[in-house]
Amino acid sequence: CGSDNLINCMTGCLLHGRYHEMAPNIVPMDYTKDPDVKLPIQLIINMPELKENPFKERIVEAFSEDGDGNLSFNDFVDMFSVLSEMAPRELKAIYAFKIYDFNTDNFICKSDLEKTLNKLTREELTAEEITLVCEKVIEEADMDGDGKLAFADFENMISKAPDFLRYKNCLKNYQMFFLYIFCSSWKDDGLAKC
Amino acid sequence: RNRRAQRKQAGNEDSDSDGESCKNKKNRANQISKQQEPDEDEEEDNKGGRKGRGKNETKQEKKPDEKGKKEKDNKKKKDKKKKGSSSSDSDSEEEPITEEELAKLKEEVEEKKKLIATLRNKPWQMKKKLDVLKEAQLFVEKFEGALGKGKGKKFYAYKVMMTKKWMKFQRDFENFKTACIPWEMKIKEIESKAVVHIYILYFWLLVFCFEQLSTFIILWLQVLMGKPYGTLPRKTVPRAEERTAMNFATLWDFSGLAQYSVLFYGYYNNQRTIGWLKFRMPLSYFLVGVGTIAYSYMVVIRTMARNANEEGGGDDTSFNFSWKMFTSWDYLIGNPETADNKFASITTSFKEAIVEEQENRKEENIHLTRFLRVLANFLALCTLAGSGYLIYFVVRRSQKFALEGLDNYGWWERNEVNMVMSLLGMFCPTLFDVISSLENYHPRIALRWQLGRIFALFLGNLYTFIIALMDEINLKLEEEKIVKYNMTIWEASLYNGTIPENATAPPIQVDPADVPRGPCWETMVGQEFVRLTISDTMTTYITIIVGDFLRAVFVRFFNYCWCWDLEYGFPSYSEFDISGNVLGLIFNQGMIWMGSFYAPGLPAINVFRLHTSMYLQCWAVMCCNVPHERVFKASRSNNFYMAMLLFILFLSTLPAVYTIVSIPPSFDCGPFSGKIRMFEVISETLENDFPSWFGKVFSYASNPGLILPFILLMVLSIYYLNATSKTYKEANLDLKKKLQSVRMP
């Protein structure tokens, strides 16, 4: 591997190591045969990076293929790469929208906002305060006046937020890369250049 | 057809020459190439020469498919494979490549490259990205080879290779630059405790960079090439001071041996060239001094411009609640205690915002608020005036002490000025904080008022200090005349009347330590600044240790046996004081800028101080501070801090420039000794080192008749640029409004 790929190789091995150690009996070390292995959501939300996050279930569900939270290794890598520092803002916005959309109807409606707020404050606000906040959010961000936030509204609002990209919505140290690396027969210089 | 045959060749060549390919890759590659060729066959037959474009379009249709349609994609690929396998090897006729086809092929290759570059931005599943990437990469590799065959193959291949190497180099350089940022890991550690601190740490980095420049060049050159210590009178400790030259007290005061070292202006010789390289020391001293200031201006303004771009249009509070809801959680938190703190602070912030919103819907008592604000401003002004007078008083007193001889007084009298300035800097900001609670402003606005007042305080102090220095400089200049007179007498006494006056005589060897020395006002100025910096540093350390660490220890251990809850009431743990620390940094930098011309060693001392302060602060933040209760966006203040830095830069260069231009340098110390004004070194260089026509051109160019119109032109262009930027901003806002109204049906 070249120097760039060396970082990718190492990160790839690290991630695979993490994935494997959660369920050593199920996850194989050798990925040449492209095995169809998925880890259940319960294991993943217990990872130290996600454990304290109030949105951990939603995060895992957003990256799973069928929305139920079971991640294959590719999905696992996807999750870390989007959450990393190197991911571009647009990509983060897309996934952030998915995460906050609790009922997966492609809109963030009032009930989604209420759930988000309850998770953020651990249900310490009164019902009146919750209603006030949700109304204010819709008032501020809803452009097309339908009483809920479409992706365009969300993106418009989040792109102006100064804190969104920097160091907050990201997890430690996992760089963005495309994987072929964790198993020797997949090593390929040219293809890993991205 | 020729192309297809060549492509196959190129494809095979690539896979053969690639030393690392394994069976898997080869097979897949061949599969895909077989897959691509028949597609091109079809398109060629149908669309006459539009090579891979058809395939490209089908690819683009595939893109918006979501995860569930991946199976459809695979099926499509299999279908294509089946179709294509029959006609893959049928044709082998030759065909020349036309210019048109070549250009189109190039276009497609570029498109594929763009796809590869933007692939990471697509919200697809990993598997899909991998497949698309592989296809695109193979396409690019094959066709790049093929494109080369024809005219200018070698050149094209070479160009491609150079582009690749250049991109790799750029990537490595970025990695290297990131690795070089000192403290990057430390910054990330701290983030999880309180995100807002990051901006302070960035500041350290920025300031750090300024320093590196000026010191090391001159210092090392002088040390390497100049005459060593003890060879010249200006480089030696005078006989009278020799006894105490190495005492710690003297060294701490930066007199004695430290005074006659590379650290200060006085050490440098005024010899025009030194060493075997004929290095022009005085000229370089002058140019480096002026150059670093110019560079600092450039860096500050460039950073401001960059920050201004990022801020963009739009106002602060338009998405208050939305941002609180969606961006307040810190994803770096992994510690349960920190998480608890974070939940609490988020809840508090929501409650505050709710209360504010509810109050906004009520009416407020304007008159009372206005009265309170006027009162607060009055009190602040009183404080400022008081501190200014105090410093003036203290400086006058220290001059009196100096006249009567400093040995009669103890440590406090000798360091009175520095201590008073540091103490004022410690206590007045707290006072301003108390006053600002009367005003009832929004936290960000209150922060700005606070910063403005502290700024005025420091400025007043600094300028009083400088005026006092000016008085001392004048005193020293007077002293110089006396010393000059005494020196002629002393020289005459050496010859002891053996040789009549007005005749040349062989110089008598005198030990450099015995030569009577003129007072060196430049070194004195340098010393004052160095002392000020050191006392500032000490104050900072003591504040951190006492104010943060000891306070935390006290609260933690005495909480068990105290009447009220120390942790939640007074004094509680300290928060990280952003404004105080940032201002302290900015002022420290201002002092360095002011003093570095006269004490070239000062930036080196500052680098050391920044490093130690940084680690001390980091440690204090991690162990003694609690996160802020109010979470407001300090990032918007970034440009505000840079604007202050710029202002300070301007103000600190004024005194230095004034002294360079209007005060004569000392006659026996420093690189400009003997000249009437310091900047004469430039005209001297122009006369001696450049051809004569250069000097003429320069003298024409520096004619006021030319310079004044030039200045006028610059003022006009500033006005013009300002006007155009205003119109652009207005046009921007108009467009935004239109966009909003278009969105609403």
Side-chain angles (χ1 to χ4, degrees):
Chain A
C1 305
S3 71
D4 212 22
N5 299 335
L6 192 61
I7 301 177
N8 295 346
C9 285
M10 281 166 50
T11 324
C13 292
L14 273 176
L15 264 189
H16 186 251
R18 298 294 303 277
Y19 192 71
H20 176 79
E21 79 187 5
M22 284 197 282
N25 307 326
I26 314 180
V27 175
M29 282 306 286
D30 180 2
Y31 260 72
T32 33
K33 311 229 174 21
D34 208 0
D36 184 18
V37 171
K38 289 199 181 180
L39 287 186
I41 186 171
Q42 295 308 323
L43 284 178
I44 303 191
I45 58 179
N46 279 330
M47 289 181 74
E49 286 86 351
L50 290 176
K51 213 165 49 153
E52 302 296 331
N53 198 318
F55 301 110
K56 52 193 178 208
E57 292 95 357
R58 280 302 306 152
I59 295 176
V60 179
E61 284 167 15
F63 286 96
S64 66
E65 212 172 299
D66 35 12
D68 60 2
N70 300 322
L71 297 185
S72 69
F73 184 60
N74 275 339
D75 301 327
F76 187 72
V77 166
D78 232 354
M79 179 172 78
F80 276 98
S81 71
V82 169
L83 289 173
S84 87
E85 291 165 13
M86 315 283 271
R89 168 186 278 248
E90 299 77 23
L91 197 55
K92 283 189 192 282
I94 293 173
Y95 279 99
F97 186 76
K98 279 196 197 150
I99 290 174
Y100 294 122
D101 182 13
F102 280 76
N103 52 13
T104 56
D105 60 350
N106 278 338
F107 286 102
I108 296 184
C109 58
K110 200 140 179 273
S111 66
D112 294 329
L113 290 174
E114 280 174 14
K115 290 204 190 94
T116 310
L117 194 54
N118 276 327
K119 284 213 188 270
L120 265 181
T121 56
R122 280 188 183 161
E123 300 179 13
E124 294 228 349
L125 296 181
T126 67
E128 219 175 67
E129 292 170 335
I130 295 181
T131 326
L132 174 64
V133 172
C134 295
E135 273 171 15
K136 281 296 291 182
V137 170
I138 295 198
E139 187 190 311
E140 286 171 354
D142 187 17
M143 293 287 155
D144 45 13
D146 56 358
K148 46 192 180 173
L149 303 183
F151 178 66
D153 305 328
F154 182 78
E155 222 244 322
N156 174 47
M157 178 267 296
I158 214 86
S159 61
K160 304 203 174 92
D163 293 334
F164 180 64
L165 191 57
R166 300 221 211 169
Y167 295 103
K168 277 191 139 175
N169 285 349
C170 61
L171 294 178
K172 265 197 257 207
N173 291 334
Y174 293 111
Q175 292 186 28
M176 173 115 173
F177 60 94
F178 291 111
L179 268 213
Y180 307 83
I181 314 286
F182 45 88
C183 176
S184 57
S185 58
W186 282 88
K187 239 182 272 196
D188 188 346
D189 246 350
L191 290 175
K193 246 190 252 178
C194 270
Chain B
R1 307 262 167 97
N2 186 36
R3 237 174 307 149
R4 204 183 310 125
Q6 287 170 344
R7 238 182 289 136
K8 250 215 262 181
Q9 252 183 356
N12 289 338
E13 274 173 20
D14 283 348
S15 51
D16 282 341
S17 60
D18 189 358
E20 295 180 43
S21 63
C22 57
K23 270 194 182 159
N24 265 348
K25 181 207 167 190
K26 242 196 215 169
N27 291 339
R28 253 191 116 125
N30 287 339
Q31 276 177 5
I32 292 179
S33 60
K34 278 195 195 138
Q35 183 188 325
Q36 284 179 345
E37 287 179 27
D39 282 343
E40 272 113 32
D41 261 338
E42 292 172 14
E43 312 308 337
E44 229 178 25
D45 296 339
N46 297 340
K47 299 183 185 176
R50 293 171 57 77
K51 272 275 118 209
R53 192 162 310 262
K55 185 153 172 29
N56 223 9
E57 282 169 2
T58 50
K59 264 221 178 94
Q60 279 173 347
E61 284 161 19
K62 270 200 264 173
K63 279 175 204 169
D65 290 353
E66 283 301 325
K67 344 168 189 178
K69 299 180 186 167
K70 222 179 19 161
E71 286 92 39
K72 250 198 204 169
D73 293 344
N74 289 336
K75 214 179 154 214
K76 263 193 207 165
K77 287 183 197 163
K78 287 185 192 145
D79 288 342
K80 284 193 180 153
K81 264 191 245 168
K82 281 190 203 149
K83 264 193 242 168
S85 51
S86 49
S87 55
S88 54
D89 295 308
S90 44
D91 304 310
S92 54
E93 291 168 27
E94 297 284 320
E95 223 181 66
I97 308 173
T98 62
E99 281 294 319
E100 210 184 278
E101 286 175 338
L102 198 65
K104 282 184 187 152
L105 197 57
K106 264 195 190 156
E107 225 179 287
E108 282 153 30
V109 169
E110 289 306 315
E111 271 186 48
K112 287 278 194 246
K113 279 190 182 161
K114 213 167 52 163
L115 172 64
I116 293 174
T118 55
L119 199 52
R120 50 161 66 175
N121 295 358
K122 311 275 186 211
W124 303 331
Q125 284 242 300
M126 187 59 82
K127 194 143 191 221
K128 191 165 166 194
K129 283 194 259 194
L130 291 182
D131 294 333
V132 168
L133 174 68
K134 258 203 182 127
E135 284 183 39
Q137 284 272 12
L138 282 162
F139 182 84
V140 165
E141 270 182 35
K142 278 174 38 176
F143 281 108
E144 268 184 339
L147 272 178
K149 294 195 166 107
K151 314 178 190 171
K153 164 206 172 180
K154 284 212 176 90
F155 176 69
Y156 185 74
Y158 174 75
K159 204 168 69 156
V160 163
M161 188 192 71
M162 286 314 286
T163 324
K164 283 191 191 164
K165 279 211 188 334
W166 174 245
M167 280 176 44
K168 181 165 192 319
F169 170 75
Q170 276 188 323
R171 240 199 316 257
D172 287 341
F173 187 62
E174 284 301 322
N175 285 345
F176 173 72
K177 265 203 301 192
T178 325
C180 267
I181 298 179
W183 319 316
E184 197 193 1
M185 288 325 297
K186 266 246 172 316
I187 292 175
K188 295 207 181 141
E189 261 177 50
I190 293 190
E191 282 184 87
S192 60
K193 190 121 197 210
V195 177
V196 97
H197 297 180
I198 196 71
Y199 302 114
I200 307 304
L201 299 170
Y202 273 146
F203 232 97
W204 290 105
L205 295 176
L206 194 66
V207 167
F208 181 89
C209 297
F210 289 154
E211 316 293 12
Q212 312 262 16
L213 283 174
S214 55
T215 342
F216 299 111
I217 316 177
I218 325 184
L219 272 189
W220 289 115
L221 283 169
Q222 173 66 43
V223 166
L224 288 174
M225 306 249 212
K227 297 206 179 108
Y229 171 82
T231 46
L232 285 176
R234 65 184 62 180
K235 300 196 183 195
T236 335
V237 177
R239 193 67 72 185
E241 296 177 23
E242 247 178 26
R243 213 171 23 92
T244 53
M246 291 288 278
N247 289 352
F248 179 73
T250 338
L251 283 180
W252 184 254
D253 215 19
F254 284 93
S255 25
L257 193 59
Q259 184 175 348
Y260 298 97
S261 71
V262 214
L263 282 179
F264 291 107
Y265 175 97
Y267 183 82
Y268 295 79
N269 195 6
N270 71 337
Q271 205 180 348
R272 203 163 157 266
T273 63
I274 59 174
W276 52 272
L277 271 179
K278 296 264 181 284
F279 181 72
R280 286 163 177 59
M281 173 60 74
L283 179 67
S284 83
Y285 192 100
F286 189 79
L287 286 180
V288 166
V290 170
T292 43
I293 294 187
Y295 179 74
S296 305
Y297 269 110
M298 247 176 43
V299 172
V300 172
I301 292 189
R302 207 165 47 160
T303 320
M304 281 182 75
R306 218 183 306 144
N307 283 348
N309 281 343
E310 281 175 11
E311 273 186 27
D315 47 9
D316 270 343
T317 54
S318 52
F319 292 114
N320 210 3
F321 279 91
S322 313
W323 288 341
K324 276 201 211 300
M325 170 118 36
F326 294 117
T327 65
S328 53
W329 181 258
D330 183 355
Y331 279 51
L332 284 178
I333 291 181
N335 178 358
E337 200 181 289
T338 322
D340 286 336
N341 278 343
K342 190 69 183 174
F343 280 120
S345 80
I346 291 179
T347 313
T348 319
S349 134
F350 267 112
K351 291 210 168 162
E352 265 188 25
I354 293 174
V355 163
E356 217 180 289
E357 178 68 23
Q358 283 169 343
E359 268 185 24
N360 274 345
R361 298 181 178 180
K362 279 191 275 179
E363 279 181 8
E364 47 171 57
N365 190 350
I366 298 186
H367 299 290
L368 181 64
T369 323
R370 274 205 199 135
F371 171 71
L372 283 177
R373 284 178 187 171
V374 167
L375 181 65
N377 278 321
F378 177 71
L379 287 174
L381 270 174
C382 287
T383 321
L384 285 172
S387 90
Y389 179 71
L390 186 61
I391 293 193
Y392 179 72
F393 176 71
V394 163
V395 163
R396 274 256 170 271
R397 243 166 57 121
S398 82
Q399 281 173 349
K400 221 173 36 170
F401 294 153
L403 279 174
E404 295 169 14
L406 278 174
D407 302 324
N408 302 339
Y409 297 97
W411 176 87
W412 172 258
E413 277 83 6
R414 257 182 282 191
N415 292 306
E416 204 174 23
V417 178
N418 295 339
M419 289 312 296
V420 164
M421 282 182 72
S422 305
L423 285 173
L424 275 178
M426 244 182 8
F427 289 117
C428 283
T430 339
L431 194 60
F432 286 141
D433 217 2
V434 169
I435 293 177
S436 74
S437 64
L438 275 177
E439 289 180 325
N440 200 18
Y441 276 126
H442 184 275
R444 197 176 315 114
I445 302 184
L447 178 69
R448 294 211 175 170
W449 274 98
Q450 171 85 340
L451 287 175
R453 287 184 187 131
I454 300 181
F455 189 79
L457 174 78
F458 278 149
L459 217 55
N461 294 354
L462 209 55
Y463 265 75
T464 322
F465 178 71
I466 288 173
I467 293 175
L469 267 185
M470 287 298 190
D471 280 343
E472 281 198 48
I473 292 178
N474 287 332
L475 272 177
K476 287 245 151 101
L477 283 175
E478 297 292 324
E479 214 181 301
E480 237 185 44
K481 293 187 192 143
I482 304 177
V483 170
K484 258 192 199 162
Y485 179 68
N486 284 343
M487 252 185 109
T488 43
I489 299 180
W490 175 81
E491 266 183 19
S493 77
L494 273 186
Y495 296 119
N496 231 352
T498 48
I499 297 169
E501 289 190 22
N502 296 340
T504 51
I508 302 184
Q509 293 292 54
V510 186
D511 189 282
D514 290 322
V515 176
R517 217 72 67 70
C520 194
W521 63 266
E522 295 97 344
T523 307
M524 186 264 305
V525 169
Q527 273 175 324
E528 288 296 325
F529 277 111
V530 172
R531 285 188 201 129
L532 197 58
T533 310
I534 298 284
S535 77
D536 213 26
T537 316
M538 290 293 122
T539 320
T540 319
Y541 290 168
I542 293 178
T543 318
I544 293 178
I545 294 185
V546 169
D548 287 348
F549 180 63
L550 285 186
R551 176 167 155 184
V553 163
F554 176 75
V555 168
R556 179 61 71 97
F557 290 117
F558 279 79
N559 203 13
Y560 301 120
C561 49
W562 206 263
C563 341
W564 68 85
D565 191 349
L566 284 175
E567 283 185 2
Y568 284 104
F570 177 82
S572 84
Y573 298 108
S574 52
E575 290 180 348
F576 184 74
D577 180 14
I578 303 177
S579 56
N581 279 301
V582 171
L583 271 187
L585 267 178
I586 294 181
F587 275 96
N588 168 53
Q589 188 57 33
M591 285 195 296
I592 304 297
W593 276 321
M594 260 196 273
S596 62
F597 189 76
Y598 296 111
L602 187 57
I605 297 177
N606 198 39
V607 163
F608 175 71
R609 167 218 152 107
L610 277 180
H611 267 98
T612 49
S613 287
M614 163 78 182
Y615 285 114
L616 192 63
Q617 288 273 20
C618 278
W619 166 78
V621 158
M622 294 298 280
C623 93
C624 322
N625 285 353
V626 288
H628 281 251
E629 286 193 354
R630 287 193 285 226
V631 179
F632 54 89
K633 290 173 259 314
S635 64
R636 294 276 165 178
S637 310
N638 244 357
N639 235 11
F640 180 65
Y641 293 136
M642 293 308 284
M644 278 191 2
L645 192 65
L646 185 66
F647 190 50
I648 290 278
L649 173 58
F650 176 67
L651 289 177
S652 21
T653 50
L654 276 182
V657 169
Y658 175 74
T659 50
I660 290 177
V661 168
S662 59
I663 303 188
S666 303
F667 74 96
D668 72 338
C669 70
F672 308 117
S673 60
K675 300 197 173 40
I676 306 187
R677 288 281 184 273
M678 291 190 196
F679 55 82
E680 277 181 12
V681 69
I682 301 267
S683 44
E684 195 192 7
T685 316
L686 278 178
E687 274 169 25
N688 297 343
D689 293 330
F690 285 95
S692 54
W693 57 263
F694 205 85
K696 263 195 217 154
V697 168
F698 213 73
S699 67
Y700 288 147
S702 55
N703 186 358
L706 251 171
I707 294 203
L708 283 177
F710 185 64
I711 294 182
L712 191 63
L713 184 68
M714 287 203 291
V715 168
L716 286 176
S717 56
I718 290 179
Y719 174 72
Y720 170 73
L721 288 171
N722 208 16
T724 38
S725 96
K726 265 200 202 130
T727 25
Y728 286 146
K729 272 198 194 145
E730 280 176 20
N732 246 358
L733 277 172
D734 272 341
L735 281 174
K736 273 195 190 144
K737 283 193 194 137
K738 275 195 193 147
L739 259 180
Q740 281 191 7
S741 63
V742 158
R743 278 205 178 134
M744 295 214 182

